[in-house]
Amino acid sequence: MHPVLGLSRFCSHYLVYWTKTWRLTRTVQWALVRRIYSETGKWERDYREQTRKQVEGWWRPRIKEQFHKLSKKDDSRPKFYALSMFPYPSGNLHMGHVRVYTISDVIAHFQRMQGKQVLNPMGWDAFGLPAENAAIERGLDPEEWTKSNIVHMREQLLNLGLCFNWEQEITTCQPDYYRWTQYLFVKLYEAGLAYQKEALVNWDPVDQTVLADEQVDENGCSWRSGAKVEHKYLKQWFIKTTNFAKPLLDSLDDLPSWYGVKAMQANWIGDCSGCYFDFQLKVGGILGAEKVSAYTPTPEAIYGASYLSILPSHWLLHGESKLREVFQRKFVSGNGGWRSTVLLMWPIHSYHRRRRAIIKF
């Protein structure tokens, strides 16, 4: 079959089809003919807004009907899970939402056309200080403000003709959702996989909240409030994902290559071939309760270690450490190091021969 004729038959099932008229001069004339709803059968030269609305109005119920037909549970079909990042219910969709959820919708439709049973849910990332700050700014109750935004944004997604499994909709600020995040956290804590420590964060002084690196622009300002972002140490909860780093890294070999994603994941997981040593601090002959962890890919060389260095951004200089003032007094800005002060430290974990390491800063 001629490739153009094949394309013609394919397109005729959807929106348009091409008619071919052969002439004796062996020239080909193609005429575009409407086939879906126009009474005249002619395609309008100017695609006006009203025409677009009519086309959307014609297609929307048919797309929904086909979606519901293909979404019926059928365990005989292979399953496919399409999950988009849930939007924050700020009040209105923007073009970034349209782009992301259109891509998700296309992927879900394609998989259904492949005969798969697709789950493509939608939800709302609605928990956190941004919702409270926005409500305070408008003099509204945070719960009512968030719920009204969800209603409006859900209507916008429906008007876009996107086919989500709304019966699986979740809202993260509702108890029927966060009871399970609390349950999982308790289980992680009981298993020793949740712990607290100080860490450097991006702090928005206006919204009074922590920002991810992606939420800080090239000028070092918050993408939401516009305030200059501060770097400060805060005590926060962490999950020991590093306990599973090695099996995660090894399992990447079993995954297919896809646009450099495997390399990105490997770089994010990081090197897993070394170990951490915990050193306890001793200042002025007094052994303290604080310790410093140091990573090394060559743990067998620990007996030959002569010093341990830390970055100027280390928590010992900026956190709630009782030794912060001692360290800050010894720090000399501009000469690339510290004065020649010796701290006696040794690994917490005992060896067959207890070795004391001289740690210089």
Side-chain angles (χ1 to χ4, degrees):
M1 179 183 293
H2 192 280
V4 177
L5 291 178
L7 178 62
S8 168
R9 294 188 179 183
F10 173 79
C11 292
S12 67
H13 289 291
Y14 293 91
L15 180 62
V16 298
Y17 76 97
W18 297 87
T19 59
K20 184 177 70 172
T21 303
W22 290 95
R23 295 183 177 178
L24 293 177
T25 56
R26 301 185 68 181
T27 60
V28 180
Q29 179 182 5
W30 300 95
L32 184 62
V33 180
R34 283 289 299 281
R35 185 179 169 182
I36 57 172
Y37 81 96
S38 176
E39 294 180 0
T40 62
K42 301 295 182 181
W43 183 267
E44 297 179 17
R45 183 177 297 275
D46 297 325
Y47 191 53
R48 301 182 181 89
E49 180 181 356
Q50 185 60 32
T51 305
R52 185 175 70 251
K53 290 182 178 180
Q54 287 179 298
V55 172
E56 292 176 355
W58 193 93
W59 272 109
R60 184 174 289 111
R62 288 161 174 79
I63 292 175
K64 294 294 183 182
E65 180 183 359
Q66 185 73 1
F67 163 69
H68 290 302
K69 184 184 299 183
L70 295 177
S71 296
K72 292 181 180 179
K73 186 175 181 180
D74 183 359
D75 293 334
S76 65
R77 292 185 290 162
K79 297 178 180 179
F80 185 87
Y81 185 32
L83 178 63
S84 306
M85 182 181 291
F86 294 155
Y88 166 71
S90 56
N92 285 290
L93 297 180
H94 52 69
M95 288 308 298
H97 293 117
V98 176
R99 174 182 179 272
V100 169
Y101 300 127
T102 298
I103 293 173
S104 171
D105 193 57
V106 169
I107 292 174
H109 277 303
F110 176 78
Q111 295 297 332
R112 292 189 193 97
M113 294 169 66
Q114 298 294 310
K116 296 180 181 178
Q117 185 175 340
V118 177
L119 175 60
N120 185 21
M122 176 48 64
W124 311 97
D125 185 9
F127 222 177
L129 283 175
E132 296 181 16
N133 291 333
I136 292 172
E137 182 180 344
R138 293 164 174 80
L140 301 172
D141 181 84
E143 182 179 2
E144 297 304 320
W145 160 255
T146 301
K147 287 182 177 179
S148 64
N149 287 345
I150 289 175
V151 171
H152 179 62
M153 292 176 68
R154 185 191 299 116
E155 182 179 356
Q156 289 183 307
L157 290 172
L158 291 172
N159 289 337
L160 286 171
L162 304 178
C163 296
F164 291 106
N165 296 102
W166 288 104
E167 66 276 9
Q168 304 292 340
E169 180 185 11
I170 61 172
T171 304
T172 60
C173 63
Q174 296 297 328
D176 60 353
Y177 175 84
Y178 65 71
R179 68 183 291 253
W180 294 112
T181 61
Q182 293 176 338
Y183 172 83
L184 290 173
F185 178 83
V186 170
K187 291 301 179 183
L188 290 169
Y189 181 78
E190 291 174 350
L193 295 174
Y195 64 99
Q196 276 187 309
K197 73 171 185 178
E198 286 188 328
L200 194 66
V201 299
N202 300 315
W203 179 257
D204 186 327
V206 173
D207 282 348
Q208 296 288 297
T209 188
V210 175
L211 301 174
D213 290 340
E214 294 79 10
Q215 295 174 311
V216 181
D217 64 20
E218 62 275 8
N219 298 317
C221 296
S222 168
W223 70 283
R224 186 179 297 276
S225 70
K228 195 69 176 180
V229 173
E230 302 173 357
H231 294 98
K232 59 191 299 185
Y233 272 86
L234 290 179
K235 182 177 289 187
Q236 49 196 304
W237 286 97
F238 288 84
I239 306 298
K240 291 184 179 179
T241 54
T242 50
N243 282 26
F244 311 98
K246 190 65 167 65
L248 285 173
L249 188 64
D250 293 341
S251 64
L252 290 177
D253 295 335
D254 301 328
L255 299 177
S257 298
W258 189 59
Y259 299 105
V261 172
K262 287 177 64 173
M264 292 170 58
Q265 289 292 313
N267 292 332
W268 177 76
I269 295 172
D271 185 15
C272 302
S273 59
C275 67
Y276 282 92
F277 284 94
D278 292 331
F279 292 90
Q280 200 166 2
L281 298 177
K282 188 175 184 180
V283 180
I286 301 175
L287 185 65
E290 294 180 285
K291 61 184 179 181
V292 177
S293 295
Y295 177 84
T296 175
T298 55
E300 67 278 4
I302 187 63
Y303 292 106
S306 58
Y307 70 93
L308 179 68
S309 61
I310 61 174
L311 293 173
S313 59
H314 197 274
W315 64 270
L316 282 172
L317 286 170
H318 305 280
E320 297 180 357
S321 169
K322 297 178 180 179
L323 303 177
R324 183 177 61 181
E325 294 183 3
V326 175
F327 278 71
Q328 287 177 339
R329 285 198 304 266
K330 302 301 181 182
F331 179 71
V332 179
S333 177
N335 69 356
W338 296 69
R339 291 173 179 160
S340 55
T341 301
V342 177
L343 303 178
L344 297 183
M345 310 163 67
W346 57 86
I348 291 177
H349 302 292
S350 300
Y351 294 97
H352 295 298
R353 287 189 306 161
R354 189 167 186 177
R355 296 294 297 269
R356 176 174 296 183
I358 306 296
I359 312 302
K360 299 177 182 179
F361 291 91

